[in-house]
Amino acid sequence: MIAFDEATHTYTVDGKVVPSVTQVLSIISDGEYAFVRPDVLERAKQFGLAVHRMIELDVAGSLDLEKLDPALTPWLAQWHEACSDADIQVTQTERMVYHPTLRYAGRVDLIGSVHGEPAIVDIKTITRMTSTIGAQTWAYREAAYYGVTRNETRPRRYGLHLQADSWKLLPFRKDADDGALFTACLTIHRHKHKHLGESHD
């Protein structure tokens, strides 16, 4: 049973705290934005959450356009254009996943298909994409499709870089490299937690 505490950004599985995918990768991703003021990062984070929520409601068919913040309108237009041009079909949004062997959790933005092929998609609204998104989508896929053998259908991985005036769909194909990066970060995260007394947060 996976549970998520929004206030502390903490995942628990059967009552035990487990690290999130973003927490594991923060050892790299935090450094990439070290030059940005904390208040600017926080505003970008909150706006990104608003965009994700808008897309979730849009996919569900329950988005109220009359109540939509005008600042989000161009982002919605770009989302619709991406769906049309890349033939993005969504079957699940914001799905919580857990890997029972590696013991981490996370939330997959979109599960469905791209250009007619099974895919998972992670949406980024930041100005510059982080270098860890490939490892992030690898971790999500491995958790979401745990137990599915490599001989069976496994979805492709994409990052959707969404901006107010543009969008770009980035495919990730280097499974071995992305998997190695994530598992290395997970090992370091656990070492810090065990020996340095740091929390999973």
Side-chain angles (χ1 to χ4, degrees):
M1 178 69 177
I2 311 173
F4 179 69
D5 187 309
E6 190 73 44
T8 61
H9 196 82
T10 301
Y11 286 92
T12 57
V13 177
D14 297 330
K16 295 182 179 180
V17 176
V18 296
S20 73
V21 171
T22 53
Q23 287 163 358
V24 168
L25 293 171
S26 66
I27 188 173
I28 296 175
S29 58
D30 283 357
E32 294 182 314
Y33 287 94
F35 62 91
V36 183
R37 294 201 323 264
D39 61 312
V40 174
L41 282 177
E42 181 60 25
R43 285 198 301 272
K45 176 184 175 181
Q46 293 305 317
F47 189 80
L49 290 173
V51 173
H52 277 73
R53 180 57 176 163
M54 174 189 71
I55 290 174
E56 183 181 11
L57 292 172
D58 185 57
V59 170
S62 55
L63 181 64
D64 189 339
L65 294 177
E66 292 185 357
K67 295 182 179 179
L68 184 66
D69 187 327
L72 292 171
T73 301
W75 297 76
L76 181 63
Q78 291 300 317
W79 160 246
H80 286 163
E81 183 178 310
C83 287
S84 176
D85 291 356
D87 189 20
I88 299 175
Q89 304 291 327
V90 182
T91 56
Q92 296 181 70
T93 62
E94 303 298 330
R95 175 182 163 187
M96 287 195 296
V97 296
Y98 170 66
H99 197 294
T101 302
L102 297 179
R103 302 189 308 281
Y104 64 83
R107 192 188 301 268
V108 186
D109 289 343
L110 306 173
I111 296 178
S113 63
V114 172
H115 296 305
E117 296 183 320
I120 67 167
V121 181
D122 192 72
I123 301 169
K124 297 297 185 187
T125 59
I126 51 179
T127 302
R128 181 173 60 86
M129 297 282 269
T130 61
S131 65
T132 57
I133 185 173
Q136 185 177 2
T137 57
W138 179 90
Y140 289 152
R141 187 186 65 184
E142 294 304 300
Y145 290 85
Y146 180 80
V148 176
T149 68
R150 298 197 179 277
N151 292 328
E152 299 178 76
T153 300
R154 294 170 65 80
R156 295 184 180 276
R157 301 178 290 120
Y158 292 91
L160 176 59
H161 191 200
L162 196 64
Q163 297 288 279
D165 58 356
S166 65
W167 63 272
K168 186 175 183 180
L169 194 63
L170 305 172
F172 299 104
R173 300 284 188 263
K174 297 181 179 180
D175 289 357
D177 290 350
D178 291 335
L181 177 59
F182 180 79
T183 53
C185 289
L186 182 60
T187 298
I188 295 171
H189 177 90
R190 288 197 173 126
H191 176 86
K192 293 170 67 177
H193 176 69
K194 180 178 181 180
H195 297 287
L196 303 180
E198 295 188 12
S199 70
H200 287 298
D201 296 334

